[in-house]
Amino acid sequence: MKTYADSYLYNKFPEYQKNIMEFLMKGERLNINNKEFDDIVFEFKHRQIADYLYKILKSPKVVLIEATKAMPRALKVIAAKDPKDKQQYKIFVDVTNLVVKNSSTGVYKCMDIDTLVAHLVNAMVCMAYTLKPQLLLSQNIQILGMQNFALLFTHVADYLLKISLDPALKARVQLMACMYFAEGILGESYDKLRFAARKFTGLSEREENIIELYKDESSFLNIKTFIDFVGKVLKKENITVDIFVDRWMMLYGTTTPFGLEYFPAFSAIITDAYVGSYINNQKTIEKICDKRMVEYTKEVLQKGSTFVQ
């Protein structure tokens, strides 16, 4: 499966890898089983949106870390090999400034329990995606994920190119986003989602074939090659990946850029907004995705229960 390191945006900034290694090696690993965390555990159990999230919080494969230097907002939850435990894959959650210790009593307090709940949903997705993706990526999750991604992507494209003035043009962009989501983010053959994509966009097989004439082996390799592909199909060569990503982050939040390339990061865009933690620009995301955001998250939470058990 893909990792952050496979993405164009991650590799554009080499300091990400250095930050992660420093975080894993130097950060303080919190033991949620200590009695000092009882208040957080109590509040978490009463606010969680799925009963099994408590198991995720307590899992030895999930590590809460408090660091001197917080991780970038887009990398608060990561799957990585643990340099302190035989390179086993674990999910690391940055709780710097989120989980705070009272210096006089030693008791820990969570400053925003909804944010912790959102991070644990993301941790579950990261864990399932890394260890047993076949249990997570059901047909329904793939289709609903594709639809949500296409809506979010097309909204940014419309902001930059005013494509909604031509419904047929907007539908073509949606279909291209579906193609990219299938191959570039899920790493699947578009053929598996072809029918669902045409049904969602309303485009015919002929119109789909015309778009595919522009495709080459690198079109869906990463977000840069995909933006280049979109520009070629629309004959809008002035659209660049930097312009698109800047607008994406302005509309959806600074936590969201890796959602353009990496499935767990995309999933977090939707589930963070559903939890209602205001980690991202959830009002905008709710408005664009509407009921599909709810349907997607409920499906993910249901699949998560299967994975945890």
Side-chain angles (χ1 to χ4, degrees):
M1 305 301 290
K2 288 183 69 172
T3 68
Y4 278 114
D6 296 317
S7 73
Y8 168 82
L9 295 175
Y10 183 91
N11 285 294
K12 191 176 179 183
F13 300 100
E15 62 268 25
Y16 281 143
Q17 187 62 35
K18 178 183 176 182
N19 290 345
I20 289 175
M21 187 53 64
E22 185 174 332
F23 172 73
L24 297 182
M25 294 301 295
K26 297 182 179 180
E28 180 184 356
R29 301 184 176 204
L30 306 182
N31 186 353
I32 199 72
N33 295 304
N34 287 347
K35 61 182 179 58
E36 290 83 4
F37 290 91
D38 285 352
D39 289 352
I40 291 177
V41 170
F42 178 81
E43 188 177 6
F44 184 88
K45 288 176 74 173
H46 284 78
R47 294 288 284 276
Q48 63 181 340
I49 56 176
D51 291 340
Y52 67 83
L53 285 180
Y54 176 65
K55 294 181 181 179
I56 298 290
L57 179 65
K58 291 281 193 172
S59 171
K61 290 188 177 297
V62 175
V63 184
L64 307 187
I65 294 184
E66 183 181 27
T68 304
K69 180 182 178 183
M71 289 290 286
R73 295 191 72 221
L75 292 171
K76 289 296 185 182
V77 181
I78 58 172
K81 291 181 179 180
D82 188 352
K84 294 186 176 183
D85 188 11
K86 302 175 183 178
Q87 297 295 310
Q88 291 191 54
Y89 263 109
K90 294 182 182 177
I91 311 303
F92 298 92
V93 182
D94 181 14
V95 294
T96 307
N97 301 321
L98 176 62
V99 172
V100 179
K101 186 177 184 178
N102 185 309
S103 57
S104 59
T105 65
V107 174
Y108 283 88
K109 177 184 179 181
C110 183
M111 307 307 291
D112 186 338
I113 202 69
D114 287 333
T115 294
L116 184 60
V117 170
H119 286 344
L120 267 292
V121 174
N122 190 7
M124 178 277 293
V125 171
C126 286
M127 188 186 295
Y129 179 82
T130 302
L131 301 178
K132 293 187 177 179
Q134 70 278 7
L135 290 182
L136 175 69
L137 297 175
S138 67
Q139 185 79 351
N140 278 349
I141 285 178
Q142 291 186 34
I143 290 172
L144 287 167
M146 176 184 72
Q147 292 173 349
N148 279 290
F149 179 83
L151 290 170
L152 292 171
F153 184 91
T154 305
H155 182 72
V156 178
D158 184 36
Y159 198 101
L160 295 171
L161 303 173
K162 311 303 179 194
I163 55 175
S164 62
L165 298 173
D166 182 345
L169 187 61
K170 183 177 179 180
R172 287 199 290 274
V173 173
Q174 285 185 337
L175 190 72
M176 286 188 278
C178 290
M179 292 175 173
Y180 170 72
F181 184 81
E183 298 194 14
I185 295 180
L186 291 178
E188 298 279 359
S189 167
Y190 171 63
D191 286 340
K192 289 181 64 176
L193 297 174
R194 185 182 295 274
F195 177 77
R198 284 209 305 265
K199 183 177 179 181
F200 170 65
T201 62
L203 286 185
S204 67
E205 184 176 358
R206 177 180 174 278
E207 290 168 311
E208 179 187 58
N209 290 337
I210 291 172
I211 291 172
E212 290 191 308
L213 290 174
Y214 290 87
K215 186 175 73 172
D216 60 37
E217 65 277 3
S218 68
S219 295
F220 305 133
L221 182 63
N222 56 48
I223 188 58
K224 182 185 183 304
T225 61
F226 178 55
I227 294 297
D228 291 343
F229 171 73
V230 171
K232 182 167 63 174
V233 173
L234 300 183
K235 296 179 173 53
K236 301 282 187 180
E237 305 293 344
N238 60 326
I239 186 172
T240 67
V241 66
D242 289 343
I243 290 171
F244 191 92
V245 172
D246 283 349
R247 187 58 57 178
W248 175 280
M249 288 196 295
M250 190 201 81
L251 290 170
Y252 305 136
T254 56
T255 64
T256 65
F258 291 115
L260 285 162
E261 297 188 89
Y262 179 52
F263 178 78
F266 162 74
S267 183
I269 294 175
I270 306 301
T271 58
D272 285 354
Y274 176 89
V275 171
S277 57
Y278 289 94
I279 294 173
N280 54 30
N281 297 349
Q282 70 182 53
K283 290 296 183 185
T284 302
I285 296 164
E286 288 171 351
K287 182 178 179 181
I288 294 165
C289 297
D290 198 22
K291 64 180 181 180
R292 287 185 174 88
M293 180 190 83
V294 177
E295 292 170 357
Y296 173 84
T297 304
K298 287 183 175 179
E299 193 75 19
V300 164
L301 291 172
Q302 189 278 323
K303 281 296 175 185
S305 67
T306 304
F307 171 77
V308 173
Q309 291 171 2

